[in-house]
Amino acid sequence: MMQHPALTRGRVAVITGAASGIGLAAATRFAGMGLKVCLADLSPEALRRAADQVAAAAPGGPDAVLTVPTDVSRLESVQALRDAAYARFGEVALLMNNAGTAPGGGPYDHIDRWRTVLEVNLWGVINGVQTFTPPMLAQRNPCAIVNTGSKQGITCPPGDTAYNVSKAGIKVITEALAHSLRNEQVARISAHLLVPGSTFTGMTSRGETEKPPGAWTPDQVVDMLVQGMSNGDFYIICPDNDVTRAIDNKRMLWATHDITQNRPPLSRWHPDYQAAFETFLRL
């Protein structure tokens, strides 16, 4: 399989939310592929621990790894991340806007958590795209921008509405980014929406120390990311050990049909439509 040119040995990846979970798995994988890696996260201590792991995988050792404590919700902090990456490495081939947080809240509760989730999850991606895309375009070489979304931003299940809104927004901005980039005359940047399935990370573990049988590991998600980028896929939708891609497709189609068939919103969870949804899954 031909790899995406942004994943070529010697090039540079910047990853937010890189101190744990999918971000750390991606940083370790990219370093093992010979990329130089810039790790961004809130905690300097967590970044130091992550840097040791990533450097151990990197052929270039610690010299191939840069850590930059970053609050992605603050534009000036993301701009400082950009400046540090370019000052150290001279280019950015891959930007992975991956930082995220939860929980948020429902439609009419936890307004404080709403703000935090939107500022980190959605504005973190907006700040990253706005800050890094112009200099990456100016490089005029093959690059990639990966934004980490969620199936909750597509099917929007009841529960954490704030999180759903943040991830739905990431889907919209990444789709618009891909469209805009392909209409840039000098663009050699691809955009990708990474949509993990159930993945066992610090954010999703809820205090548990053992991975549930149905969940994927972050490494499995990164495997699919690398493959999807190399295939030229925009939507990189990961299954897990409980939910196949076929089931995901049915769930996404059902959600869209709520609009086209004028059903109640979120009818998948509406008691009057439970039997119809189960029948739809079996078709």
Side-chain angles (χ1 to χ4, degrees):
M1 179 182 68
M2 292 292 294
Q3 288 180 346
H4 191 290
L7 300 178
T8 303
R9 185 184 183 92
R11 301 206 67 194
V12 180
V14 174
I15 305 167
T16 68
S20 63
I22 293 170
L24 178 56
T28 305
R29 176 67 54 81
F30 298 150
M33 296 168 68
L35 277 75
K36 302 166 188 175
V37 183
C38 177
L39 311 178
D41 215 309
L42 269 175
S43 167
E45 182 179 348
L47 279 172
R48 283 193 292 271
R49 292 194 299 268
D52 289 341
Q53 176 178 322
V54 175
D63 289 343
V65 181
L66 171 67
T67 61
V68 183
T70 304
D71 179 353
V72 298
S73 71
R74 295 173 53 238
L75 178 61
E76 61 271 24
S77 187
V78 178
Q79 290 170 334
L81 170 64
R82 173 203 59 201
D83 294 345
Y86 274 93
R88 173 73 171 269
F89 297 125
E91 71 137 20
V92 174
L94 169 63
L95 170 66
M96 185 172 179
N97 290 308
N98 173 74
T101 190
Y108 43 83
D109 59 18
H110 297 298
I111 189 67
D112 54 333
R113 296 197 324 218
W114 265 85
R115 293 189 186 281
T116 298
V117 164
L118 290 178
E119 287 169 359
V120 173
N121 295 5
L122 180 55
W123 275 102
V125 171
I126 295 170
N127 289 338
V129 167
Q130 292 270 336
T131 299
F132 279 86
T133 303
M136 291 173 74
L137 279 170
Q139 292 171 195
R140 299 195 175 205
N141 57 0
C143 298
I145 297 174
V146 175
N147 295 333
T148 302
S150 170
K151 293 173 190 176
Q152 288 181 231
I154 301 173
T155 59
C156 301
D160 196 337
T161 310
Y163 185 82
N164 295 352
V165 168
S166 72
K167 293 298 184 177
I170 291 171
K171 171 181 174 290
V172 171
I173 189 173
T174 312
E175 289 169 337
L177 175 65
H179 173 79
S180 295
L181 288 173
R182 68 174 174 253
N183 286 290
E184 286 276 357
Q185 290 186 349
V186 300
R188 302 182 68 188
I189 305 175
S190 62
H192 308 268
L193 181 67
L194 176 63
V195 184
S198 174
T199 309
F200 188 65
T201 68
M203 189 178 78
T204 64
S205 64
R206 296 179 177 86
E208 297 294 327
T209 57
E210 292 190 15
K211 182 184 78 67
W216 265 17
T217 66
D219 285 332
Q220 288 175 293
V221 173
V222 175
D223 284 342
M224 194 150 188
L225 170 62
V226 171
Q227 179 180 333
M229 289 179 64
S230 298
N231 290 343
D233 296 337
F234 172 81
Y235 299 101
I236 303 174
I237 299 177
C238 303
D240 53 51
N241 296 333
D242 284 338
V243 181
T244 66
R245 178 59 190 271
I247 291 175
D248 277 329
N249 287 347
K250 291 279 189 177
R251 289 174 173 176
M252 289 185 285
L253 281 171
W254 182 273
T256 301
H257 289 168
D258 280 354
I259 301 170
T260 61
Q261 297 183 20
N262 197 27
R263 294 190 300 233
L266 304 183
S267 70
R268 179 176 148 199
W269 296 273
H270 192 299
D272 292 350
Y273 291 85
Q274 285 181 352
F277 174 67
E278 293 300 324
T279 299
F280 181 75
L281 279 182
R282 294 192 294 269
L283 293 177

